[in-house]
Amino acid sequence: MLKTNGKKAVENIRTYITANFTPENYTDQEFTTFSEIAAFIMENFRAEKFNDNMRLYYRNNETAAFTDWCAGLPSLLDTCYWYNRSALDDLAEILEYTEAEKARYTEQQAEKFLTDLIYRELKKASRTVAA
């Protein structure tokens, strides 16, 4: 089991995000770094789900808005683990869980946990582009 903030876990999360990033319907732009991908995803998420009109609805809670956005299956990022793929299996692969460690979570807990890990890495990496 990897620590969620360990170097290998962060690398696995970023690889997972990159593999599930599908910008084809948004842009023809080529992305060369994870920071560029993260900034593009966060920019589009904010435009679609956390814009000025929606901030009041989410009480300025960007994390809750991101969770809703992921559960709504955005075309920019494959988050099908909310519906037809096992979030538990995805999470276990990313964090290298054994079957016993994997059994500690429900599917719903894994969906939320995986979304939180994705959000954390996107937010952290997108700040480096914005700075």
Side-chain angles (χ1 to χ4, degrees):
M1 176 168 93
L2 300 174
K3 292 181 102 179
T4 61
N5 60 350
K7 186 176 180 179
K8 179 70 172 147
V10 167
E11 181 182 309
N12 289 350
I13 295 163
R14 289 177 174 217
T15 300
Y16 180 85
I17 293 167
T18 303
N20 289 291
F21 175 57
T22 53
E24 293 78 20
N25 294 329
Y26 286 81
T27 185
D28 293 331
Q29 177 183 349
E30 292 291 322
F31 298 92
T32 56
T33 67
F34 180 76
S35 294
E36 291 173 351
I37 291 170
F40 188 77
I41 291 171
M42 291 303 286
E43 176 185 322
N44 282 282
F45 147 68
R46 288 177 178 135
E48 292 174 5
K49 196 70 173 179
F50 200 62
N51 54 42
D52 290 338
N53 297 332
M54 295 300 288
R55 284 181 185 273
L56 184 60
Y57 177 79
Y58 287 104
R59 296 188 175 149
N60 219 26
N61 184 339
E62 188 177 63
T63 307
F66 186 80
T67 300
D68 267 4
W69 185 69
C70 287
L73 300 178
S75 60
L76 183 60
L77 184 65
D78 179 1
T79 58
C80 285
Y81 60 83
W82 279 95
Y83 290 98
N84 64 1
R85 186 173 73 228
S86 173
L88 203 47
D89 290 342
D90 288 1
L91 188 63
E93 185 176 328
I94 291 168
L95 297 177
E96 299 178 5
Y97 283 165
T98 63
E99 286 301 316
E101 291 164 337
K102 187 176 161 183
R104 294 187 307 187
Y105 295 95
T106 65
E107 191 65 35
Q108 291 76 24
Q109 289 170 326
E111 291 166 353
K112 178 72 171 103
F113 190 22
L114 182 53
T115 301
D116 289 345
L117 292 174
I118 291 168
Y119 176 74
R120 182 191 72 192
E121 289 309 311
L122 289 174
K123 186 152 180 150
K124 184 170 48 173
S126 68
R127 279 192 290 241
T128 62
V129 170

